[in-house]
Amino acid sequence: MRKPVSPVVGQRCLLVAALSLASFGLLTSCTEPPPKGAAAEHARPTQSFAQWRDGFRVQALAAGITAQTFDRAFAGIEPDDSVVTADRSQPEFTRPVWQYLDSAVSAARVRNGQDRALENADVLQRIEATYGVDREAVVAIWGMESNFGQQMGSKNVIRSLATLGYEGRRPDFGREQLIAALQIIQHGDVPASNMIGSWAGAMGQTQFIPTTYNRYAVDFDGDGRRDIWGSSSDALASTANYLKSSGWRRGQSWGFEVRLPQGFDYAQADMDIRKPMSEWLRQGVRVASGNLPSAPQASVSLLLPAGYRGPAFLITDNFRTILSYNNSTSYALAVGLLADSFKGGGQLAGSWPVGDTPLSRSERIELQQLLATRGYQPGTADGIIGANTRKAIRSFQQSIGVPADGYASTQLLSRLRAT
């Protein structure tokens, strides 16, 4: 938004997409990309925390933070070992997309979201009019990130970020976010004691990291403070402001489920491939249920979250905007389906390959290594099935004459081991 944290201008999810599948979507949200080499061996600090804190104090004061603000915020702060543990964790197993969606778009969450939308109807109407972002999408993110404000994290954000800045694995991220957090405190939006969030520094009802907060948080209820913790109006409007800045198009669907014709070229299931709706229709792609969405000439891409044997979706730029909030296709799909469910939709016509056993992290790394050995250039063997790995998988699939959907499966790994 748990998978620990969740703006245009490149702000992205702190945890990689693999982690976002590992522990369903509360406290996930807007943050920066994971640092390069995030899976590398941890570098131990070479100085005491007190020495690090004193050095960082000089940097903070040079950045405009007052001595009073700094000293109050850091009073009694010591490193948090649980933050270090969470930061270094690399889950071996992740949940497949269908299990993720079962939790994300549960009947209870849909009902809760519908109730919250009714309770906040006036505010949501004003937010929609101000930012041009559909209220259902904003409420869906609210539900995904904090269960509608019920689970915002319990850690002191200053302590968490100081730990990240000190312990050596992501010091640049920790220091940048700490400066931003101190700016928030100095601005008077929230006292340090109330700045509570996730271990990775994501805060409030829709889980902004401090730099994202400083860019996009707004005082929508007019009380003089941007309070994304205690004011749902501020939290929801801030999220809408972020989505608008990231390119949200009002009234455009995030995407829709489709049926693919026999003999379809599954290699076209690539988010880098964008075509007008008319071109997909010409190839025999059909909407799975309901009417053809508006703007039929819009440029859309084909998504196969579970390969050619699972449901297929055509996704729009609004789906990409959700990805800017959390760079996981499973997360963006959950937000879209949850938003649709608030309006009575969200049900899928296709079925998931529930008999598939998802690859473990070790197996994903092995798959990438085998692809590289065979010259397919999947990128770094980090266990993250990203664009380069999917491209390499498609090339291998084409070479052995199977549907080139770019999907990493146990069957694919077996074929690689055998070749």
Side-chain angles (χ1 to χ4, degrees):
M1 251 251 140
R2 126 152 187 122
K3 54 179 187 333
V5 291
S6 171
V8 66
V9 196
Q11 293 294 312
R12 277 296 333 116
C13 192
L14 174 62
L15 295 187
V16 293
L19 225 62
S20 73
L21 282 177
S23 59
F24 170 56
L26 298 177
L27 310 179
T28 59
S29 142
C30 295
T31 101
E32 310 235 349
K36 292 182 179 180
E41 187 68 24
H42 167 66
R44 298 288 178 179
T46 58
Q47 56 185 338
S48 70
F49 179 76
Q51 290 172 323
W52 176 88
R53 179 199 61 213
D54 292 344
F56 177 71
R57 186 178 187 273
V58 174
Q59 298 176 38
L61 268 57
I65 303 302
T66 66
Q68 183 182 51
T69 297
F70 187 95
D71 293 341
R72 284 183 176 176
F74 270 79
I77 294 295
E78 295 291 339
D80 186 340
D81 290 340
S82 68
V83 169
V84 176
T85 299
D87 187 43
R88 297 180 196 170
S89 65
Q90 295 285 342
E92 180 65 13
F93 296 97
T94 61
R95 291 196 290 173
V97 58
W98 50 91
Q99 291 182 8
Y100 182 93
L101 293 176
D102 282 346
S103 297
V105 195
S106 67
R109 175 158 291 173
V110 172
R111 288 193 302 270
N112 199 0
Q114 291 170 331
D115 291 344
R116 293 304 182 94
L118 285 174
E119 292 169 5
N120 295 273
D122 291 342
V123 168
L124 288 167
Q125 183 176 6
R126 291 196 294 118
I127 289 173
E128 199 171 61
T130 302
Y131 299 104
V133 176
D134 304 78
R135 69 187 69 189
E136 292 84 4
V138 175
V139 174
I141 287 175
W142 189 23
M144 290 291 293
E145 294 299 336
S146 69
N147 197 20
F148 309 104
Q150 299 304 302
Q151 296 169 270
M152 293 185 283
S154 59
K155 291 192 174 294
N156 180 306
V157 169
I158 297 297
R159 186 185 185 194
S160 294
L161 293 174
T163 302
L164 293 175
Y166 166 65
E167 57 86 36
R169 183 170 178 266
R170 51 181 81 242
D172 293 340
F173 172 84
R175 286 193 296 267
E176 179 186 18
Q177 298 307 319
L178 261 177
I179 293 292
L182 292 168
Q183 290 169 341
I184 295 167
I185 295 168
Q186 188 161 288
H187 187 265
D189 287 317
V190 62
S193 59
N194 291 352
M195 186 177 274
I196 302 301
S198 75
W199 68 261
M203 313 177 300
Q205 297 188 34
T206 51
Q207 293 291 282
F208 278 9
I209 58 167
T211 50
T212 302
Y213 176 103
N214 282 339
R215 288 188 178 101
Y216 300 102
V218 297
D219 171 24
F220 201 72
D221 61 15
D223 68 353
R225 297 183 301 117
R226 300 172 297 171
D227 181 9
I228 63 174
W229 295 266
S231 170
S232 57
S233 297
D234 287 0
L236 295 173
S238 297
T239 297
N241 185 39
Y242 169 78
L243 293 173
K244 174 187 177 183
S245 299
S246 299
W248 186 271
R249 298 184 182 184
R250 184 175 185 176
Q252 182 185 80
S253 171
W254 61 270
F256 40 93
E257 188 183 5
V258 295
R259 296 188 185 278
L260 305 179
Q262 290 289 329
F264 185 80
D265 178 10
Y266 295 105
Q268 297 180 83
D270 185 332
M271 288 187 62
D272 289 335
I273 297 176
R274 304 186 189 209
K275 298 180 182 181
M277 186 65 190
S278 58
E279 174 59 20
W280 293 110
L281 294 174
R282 189 191 65 78
Q283 294 186 48
V285 176
R286 295 293 180 264
V287 177
S289 60
N291 297 321
L292 184 68
S294 60
Q297 297 304 312
S299 180
V300 289
S301 300
L302 179 64
L303 175 69
L304 300 177
Y308 77 98
R309 294 188 298 117
F313 303 88
L314 286 179
I315 56 172
T316 71
D317 286 337
N318 280 354
F319 187 91
R320 300 174 194 276
T321 298
I322 300 170
L323 285 176
S324 78
Y325 207 95
N326 184 317
N327 193 24
S328 160
T329 55
S330 294
Y331 175 90
L333 187 59
V335 168
L337 292 173
L338 187 57
D340 288 349
S341 296
F342 297 151
K343 299 179 290 185
Q347 296 79 32
L348 298 181
S351 58
W352 298 102
V354 294
D356 281 4
T357 301
L359 295 175
S360 68
R361 179 173 178 269
S362 298
E363 289 172 328
R364 294 194 301 271
I365 290 174
E366 180 188 0
L367 181 145
Q368 291 171 318
Q369 292 170 335
L370 290 172
L371 286 168
T373 299
R374 287 151 182 73
Y376 289 106
Q377 300 181 331
T380 303
D382 53 9
I384 301 168
I385 307 300
N388 288 335
T389 300
R390 288 192 295 272
K391 182 178 180 180
I393 290 173
R394 282 192 292 270
S395 295
F396 174 70
Q397 288 170 326
Q398 288 170 332
S399 74
I400 60 175
V402 300
D405 57 9
Y407 182 58
S409 66
T410 54
Q411 295 87 348
L412 181 77
L413 179 58
S414 296
R415 294 293 296 267
L416 277 166
R417 287 169 172 166
T419 58

